Amino acid sequence: MKISKKVQYGLRAMAYLAQNSKDNRAVSVREIAIRGKMPNDYLEKVFAKLLKAGLVAAKKGVRGGYVMGRAADKIRIGEIFNAVENSATKVKCIDAKCPREGECLAKSLWIKMQAAVNDFLESMSLDDLINKKI
């Protein structure tokens, strides 16, 4: 299984934000990009998805940036994956009609694997990650 750069950056950015937006201090994408050694333009697109999912909130103005949309212990790792990539795995035949549907022996394996990955990601919070409880 390959985890996309979008998901990797989204997870790293959310961890940074959770650790550095104490007292509701807004953190800029630029700061996160510099500190996390991630491309700013790419991270802007990731944050647009995180904002749309309600995982972060935007603050406008001179000291603008992003703050957590909810407490870190209320955000599941799976939510971050889904917000950024729409799925934790990329087996397309699970969601789409496969021309080999009737003869494919592996589809049930992919479905069970997808469910196991989703359960695993939903079992952990962002707080678990940043406090090394994983």
Side-chain angles (χ1 to χ4, degrees):
M1 178 168 56
K2 184 177 180 181
I3 306 299
S4 73
K5 284 285 187 194
K6 275 192 265 186
V7 169
Q8 291 176 47
Y9 291 162
L11 192 57
R12 287 171 46 200
M14 287 295 294
Y16 183 88
L17 187 63
Q19 292 174 311
N20 292 282
S21 66
K22 304 296 183 212
D23 300 323
N24 221 23
R25 176 182 82 88
V27 181
S28 71
V29 173
R30 181 172 168 76
E31 176 184 335
I32 297 168
I34 290 168
R35 300 275 190 218
K37 297 183 173 114
M38 297 176 271
N40 189 73
D41 292 344
Y42 197 71
L43 202 53
E44 288 279 0
K45 294 174 185 169
V46 170
F47 265 90
K49 292 181 178 209
L50 295 170
L51 180 65
K52 185 176 180 183
L55 299 176
V56 299
K59 282 193 165 184
K60 305 244 184 234
V62 176
R63 295 189 177 189
Y66 290 94
V67 295
M68 298 295 293
R70 299 192 307 268
D73 65 335
K74 303 293 185 218
I75 296 175
R76 311 313 295 168
I77 299 298
E79 289 182 274
I80 298 169
F81 271 72
N82 291 330
V84 174
E85 195 65 66
N86 296 326
S87 177
T89 61
K90 288 293 185 186
V91 181
K92 292 180 182 176
C93 71
I94 292 174
D95 298 327
K97 181 80 173 147
C98 177
R100 299 190 58 230
E101 181 111 23
E103 61 193 61
C104 180
L105 299 175
K107 186 167 184 170
S108 62
L109 171 73
W110 304 139
I111 290 170
K112 287 181 181 181
M113 183 184 78
Q114 177 77 53
V117 169
N118 289 344
D119 289 347
F120 175 71
L121 295 173
E122 290 300 320
S123 74
M124 297 174 287
S125 72
L126 183 59
D127 185 65
D128 293 334
L129 178 68
I130 63 176
N131 289 306
K132 300 178 183 175
K133 296 177 187 174
I134 296 174

